[in-house]
Amino acid sequence: MTATSPRLKHEVKDLALAILGRQRIDWAGREMPVLAQIRDRFAKEKPFAGLRLVACSHVTTETAHLAIALKAGGADAILIASNPLSTQDDVAASLVADHEIPVFAQKGEDNETYNRHVQIALDHRPNIIIDDGSDVVAELVQNRQHQIADLIGSTEETTTGIVRLRAMFNDGVLTFPAMNVNDADTKHFFDNRYGTGQSTLDGIIRATNILLAGKNIVVVGYGWCGKGTALRARGMGGNVIVTEIDPIKAIEAVMDGFRVLPMAEAATYGDIFITVTGNKHVIRGEHFDAMKDGAIVCNSGHFDLELDLKYLASKAKEIKDVRPFTEEYKLTSGKSVVVLGQGRLINLAAAEGHPSAVMDMSFANQALAVEYLVKNKGKLEPGLHSIPVEVDQEIARLKLEAMGIHIDTLTADQIEYINSWTSGT
Ligand code: ADE
């Protein structure tokens, strides 16, 4: 159902869900002290006054805190979903009803609606775009070139989006500055690794309620998300197998104590498969054909093309919902394969995404990246820009402080030593 408020344009499922959303947003806030400090400063300084901002992100309790911080800073902000299955409808309702932030997102929206929401976002004529996966920026670059003049710059949350932005830059179409939030240390070390690690297993458990101990769990890809997923899967007692195409990452996985196999072989052993590569069809026909009866497959990478589900559907005589977010493909061969979350990010489809404590740092980076773009308006070259090291370090410092953890500082003698080359053996 599309609700319509007399005050505010929006498309959320049901404004009556706002009460629950408000409670859950408050709960998440307990673990987001860094972003809270930034929000309070923004509220005083109003760095975004008069600016139109679009955020395309998973509409979660954590994103709510980011949107609230940006609005506190004076932004005329609207929010759309960065994935059709990741919206928390109660959060969307609360943002509209309690915070007067227009949200266009509903869990389970079809692709047509998703794309229409991207159009609504661009109709807002943003000066700033916060993107997660680069769908808004790709649409701007492909079909709304005339609006680039309005844009100060964009920020990008995720590895897949960064890969797309690099390709745009190489094709000469990224003609404005884009902040690479993903590669900040306080983002990917924690969000991609511990966030994806925990929330992916959370999604699998919520969808299936299966025991992970003793299962052969195949983690496809050993980037930061794969590292976290493999680590946590092992922690739950799984026998973890990693597949990779990068020789260095493969050695890392071996030395971290995992068995590394090519997918063709891993396919025959796995009870559960988790893709986290950012590439397409990393599990495809020949792999599905080799799987054990009842194998469970899911994806925690940004897009839903890591599993070749078209192939699987073409071999299925029946596709049955067996639990929420759990579909059994009964194949003509007599076997079945169980697909979770329609191959979309399982951590957001069946669970609630990364926990707030890591999103605190990710979204502190987003908030400060937006401020950096605004402060440096007109001065930054087109292309990808790193988050300044001082910003990254400051976020880490604030996080440690909030966690009550103290660290050491260098003595003057040590500073002199590490800055000199004269003393040796
Ligand atoms: N990406 C992964 N987890 C998320 C969360 N909790 N909120 C927003 N984006 C996310």
Side-chain angles (χ1 to χ4, degrees):
M1 186 186 83
T2 298
T4 320
S5 146
R7 280 176 302 145
L8 204 65
K9 279 198 184 147
H10 63 267
E11 282 183 33
V12 301
K13 186 161 185 222
D14 183 356
L15 285 180
L17 296 171
I19 298 170
L20 179 60
R22 193 183 316 148
Q23 279 174 356
R24 294 201 320 109
I25 293 169
D26 284 351
W27 175 254
R30 295 182 186 208
E31 293 263 280
M32 303 185 78
V34 177
L35 187 59
Q37 281 193 41
I38 295 169
R39 178 203 60 213
D40 291 347
R41 180 170 63 76
F42 283 176
K44 285 193 205 106
E45 297 175 7
K46 302 279 177 207
F48 313 131
L51 294 178
R52 290 182 304 274
L53 185 147
V54 160
C56 174
S57 179
H58 303 292
V59 180
T60 63
T61 49
E62 293 74 29
T63 300
H65 283 282
L66 175 63
I68 292 164
L70 296 163
K71 187 169 182 202
D76 170 8
I78 74 168
L79 177 60
I80 63 165
S82 59
N83 184 292
L85 265 194
S86 62
T87 298
Q88 297 171 3
D89 289 316
D90 54 347
V91 170
S94 172
L95 282 172
V96 173
D98 301 324
H99 300 279
E100 303 210 331
I101 295 174
V103 181
F104 299 84
Q106 294 185 26
K107 189 169 180 97
E109 64 192 28
D110 57 21
N111 284 348
E112 193 189 316
T113 307
Y114 177 84
N115 290 326
R116 189 167 54 72
H117 289 163
V118 172
Q119 297 306 327
I120 289 175
L122 287 171
D123 289 346
H124 191 53
R125 298 193 73 86
N127 307 115
I128 298 280
I129 297 171
I130 294 180
D131 222 349
D132 185 338
S134 266
D135 279 348
V136 177
V137 166
E139 178 60 19
L140 175 80
V141 159
Q142 277 170 306
N143 297 316
R144 303 245 194 160
Q145 278 284 329
H146 58 284
Q147 280 186 231
I148 291 180
D150 293 341
L151 200 68
I152 297 173
S154 71
T155 70
E156 175 51 54
E157 170 77 5
T158 199
T159 319
T160 295
I162 297 299
V163 170
R164 292 180 87 187
L165 288 171
R166 282 211 180 95
M168 284 181 214
F169 186 71
N170 292 339
D171 282 349
V173 293
L174 185 65
T175 54
F176 48 85
M179 298 301 294
N180 181 348
V181 169
N182 182 69
D183 288 359
D185 287 349
T186 46
K187 200 277 183 181
H188 68 276
F189 281 171
F190 307 102
D191 167 315
N192 301 29
R193 181 167 37 174
Y194 305 114
T196 307
Q198 175 167 324
S199 61
T200 298
L201 297 196
D202 185 14
I204 294 170
I205 293 168
R206 290 197 208 192
T208 62
N209 196 30
I210 54 161
L211 181 75
L212 299 179
K215 296 286 192 311
N216 292 335
I217 304 178
V218 180
V219 175
V220 187
Y222 205 64
W224 289 106
C225 296
K227 285 181 175 66
T229 305
L231 184 70
R232 293 300 181 241
R234 177 163 63 192
M236 292 295 284
N239 303 311
V240 178
I241 298 170
V242 169
T243 71
E244 245 308 330
I245 47 91
D246 179 317
I248 298 173
K249 292 191 178 121
I251 300 173
E252 267 188 291
V254 171
M255 296 207 178
D256 286 344
F258 298 110
R259 194 165 171 208
V260 175
L261 291 175
M263 190 61 210
E265 211 177 317
T268 63
Y269 296 124
D271 299 305
I272 302 168
F273 296 81
I274 307 166
T275 57
V276 264
T277 68
N279 214 328
K280 68 183 286 198
H281 295 175
V282 293
I283 297 185
R284 48 187 179 271
E286 69 256 36
H287 306 135
F288 285 125
D289 290 347
M291 283 179 189
K292 298 198 275 197
D293 184 27
I296 295 173
V297 296
C298 66
N299 166 52
S300 216
H302 187 79
F303 285 122
D304 62 342
L305 38 64
E306 302 213 13
L307 309 170
D308 185 359
L309 292 182
K310 279 210 180 103
Y311 174 88
L312 202 60
S314 77
K315 298 288 169 190
K317 50 180 193 249
E318 192 189 354
I319 303 175
K320 216 171 105 184
D321 274 335
V322 285
R323 288 170 59 92
F325 309 110
T326 307
E327 288 172 309
E328 183 176 18
Y329 284 58
K330 289 182 178 286
L331 306 180
T332 47
S333 65
K335 284 193 308 192
S336 62
V337 172
V338 175
V339 178
L340 307 184
Q342 299 166 17
R344 296 196 186 275
L345 296 146
I346 190 60
N347 62 336
L348 283 140
E352 295 173 59
H354 303 348
S356 321
V358 290
M359 294 313 295
D360 188 28
M361 289 186 280
S362 309
F363 285 162
N365 274 290
Q366 282 287 3
L368 297 181
V370 172
E371 187 181 36
Y372 182 81
L373 281 171
V374 172
K375 278 193 173 152
N376 291 285
K377 181 180 172 186
K379 291 188 215 146
L380 300 172
E381 293 292 318
L384 272 170
H385 292 259
S386 301
I387 300 294
V389 181
E390 314 78 71
V391 172
D392 217 351
Q393 296 252 327
E394 177 65 3
I395 291 171
R397 209 185 53 69
L398 291 173
K399 189 72 182 174
L400 275 177
E401 197 176 285
M403 293 163 91
I405 294 170
H406 304 283
I407 60 172
D408 292 321
T409 47
L410 293 171
T411 63
D413 191 32
Q414 286 171 325
I415 293 174
E416 194 191 323
Y417 176 76
I418 54 165
N419 286 306
S420 74
W421 56 269
T422 48
S423 44
T425 19

